[in-house]
Amino acid sequence: MTSFPLARYRLECEVRTPLRLPDYAGSTLRGAFGGALRAASCMTKQKLCDGCPLLATCPYAAIFETRPPAGGTTLQDFSQVPRPYVIEPPNWGARDYAPGEALAFHLVLAGRALEQLPLLLWAFARALARGIGPGDGKAELVRVVHVGETETVVLAGPDETVVAHAHAVPTGLTLADEAVTLHFETPLRLQRNGRALSARDCDAATLLKALVRRIALMHEFHAGGPLALDFKALAAAAHRIGERKDLRWRDWTRYSSRQQQKMALGGVVGTWTLTGDLAPFLPFLHLGQWLHVGKEATFGLGGYRLASGLT
């Protein structure tokens, strides 16, 4: 867990034509990114990836449409293979950007996706140049910064090359901590029987099991293979964790171009304090600050920052 390859990058852009972003731009950025990445990666120009003879070596399929291996996984109760990236959009709230204004957002990459950083940044640059959001406002990617213990410029200009850099994740909390507080800044969608849980119905065990499952699958598919975890023991330990919640529901809808309809994707935000024997979960809680938790984490839902102690 301490060597999980993981990095957060800040993409700094300059708006070229009037650009409007919705209340939550994660889905907008993800859609534009996916289209540009597919255009850059696809050699066969097939309409669908299924049946493509190059599927096994295609970076688009590996990153944007990750599929389970034929032999199965150590965790069989999962509905979707996690993608090795998270897009963290600007802060909540619709905004109009004028030409010349700065636009910045973050991209988190995990495991082997880090090897594709130049391609992924190029895809984002193409997506921004083609236009995003209502009206297809355009922007130019002008700089990329790796955000770690310190900040390192890894792309100094649109015509530069990506600079080699380390991917060390900042040190987490000590194993002596018996209380931590999660500050959820984007809606958390935990589900039970296919339905999102309300603030009242969320519980610590469901949160921790979802977090462990997400990180274990992320590591298995995209990093160093299966983690040696006792999932039954971790599940039992999760049910012994105490909690104190100050959560509220935040509604949000997005339009799905694939399903041709609006989708309600609200979730809970606020603070959630966990108490008890947290030692088995602290590595997962720490990594979750990069990888997020819950449904639709790829476009930034379930994002939190972690603080030691009670609030």
Side-chain angles (χ1 to χ4, degrees):
M1 295 291 287
T2 57
S3 61
F4 200 126
L6 197 59
R8 174 180 279 123
Y9 299 95
R10 184 174 67 248
L11 280 65
E12 300 177 355
C13 315
E14 183 174 330
V15 174
R16 297 304 186 197
T17 66
L19 188 154
R20 179 172 178 79
L21 292 180
D23 277 337
Y24 187 72
S27 175
T28 299
L29 290 168
R30 196 272 300 266
F33 164 65
L37 180 60
R38 195 178 199 280
S41 306
C42 182
M43 301 297 292
T44 63
K45 307 305 178 185
Q46 292 184 191
K47 186 174 182 180
L48 298 175
C49 294
D50 293 333
C52 176
L54 304 181
L55 187 64
T57 58
C58 176
Y60 170 81
I63 293 168
F64 205 80
E65 291 193 16
T66 314
R67 286 114 192 283
T73 71
T74 56
L75 278 172
Q76 297 301 323
D77 60 337
F78 68 94
S79 59
Q80 189 179 62
V81 176
R83 280 43 169 167
Y85 70 92
V86 175
I87 296 170
E88 298 176 328
N91 291 337
W92 195 278
R95 181 176 170 185
D96 291 300
Y97 294 83
E101 281 195 84
L103 164 67
F105 58 92
H106 291 89
L107 173 67
V108 176
L109 297 178
R112 287 181 288 274
L114 287 160
E115 300 169 7
Q116 301 290 345
L117 178 62
L119 172 63
L120 302 185
L121 295 181
W122 189 87
F124 261 115
R126 292 293 298 162
L128 292 162
R130 290 175 180 172
I132 61 172
D136 291 330
K138 297 177 174 57
E140 182 179 10
L141 179 62
V142 295
R143 196 171 81 143
V144 178
V145 179
H146 173 244
V147 182
E149 292 281 7
T150 59
E151 294 193 351
T152 304
V153 176
V154 299
L155 187 67
D159 298 321
E160 301 294 325
T161 57
V162 175
V163 176
H165 55 286
H167 301 138
V169 172
T171 304
L173 302 174
T174 68
L175 294 183
D177 287 322
E178 296 182 352
V180 297
T181 298
L182 292 76
H183 297 263
F184 279 95
E185 298 169 332
T186 58
L188 165 68
R189 287 180 63 83
L190 296 176
Q191 294 193 168
R192 185 177 297 137
N193 298 325
R195 300 188 65 179
L197 298 180
S198 67
R200 181 186 62 186
D201 293 332
C202 287
D203 63 85
T206 301
L207 170 68
L208 291 170
K209 288 189 288 186
L211 183 62
V212 169
R213 181 169 58 251
R214 172 167 170 76
I215 292 174
L217 286 170
M218 188 75 78
H219 195 279
E220 181 168 355
F221 286 119
H222 303 293
L227 292 170
L229 299 174
D230 186 336
F231 293 102
K232 289 185 178 179
L234 284 169
H239 284 281
R240 296 192 292 269
I241 297 300
E243 61 186 321
R244 187 172 70 194
K245 299 180 293 185
D246 183 13
L247 301 171
R248 64 189 183 279
W249 186 263
R250 174 177 279 171
D251 278 319
W252 174 62
T253 60
R254 77 176 183 95
Y255 182 79
S256 171
S257 56
R258 179 175 296 181
Q259 300 186 36
Q260 297 292 301
Q261 63 179 350
K262 285 188 175 181
M263 302 179 65
L265 289 174
V268 298
V269 295
T271 60
W272 196 341
T273 298
L274 307 178
T275 60
D277 182 10
L278 295 170
F281 302 106
L282 285 176
F284 300 98
L285 288 164
H286 179 59
L287 291 177
Q289 295 175 102
W290 284 262
L291 296 175
H292 297 217
V293 62
K295 298 292 289 184
E296 311 300 355
T298 52
F299 49 79
L301 295 191
Y304 66 86
R305 54 185 174 85
L306 196 61
S308 179
L310 301 170
T311 60

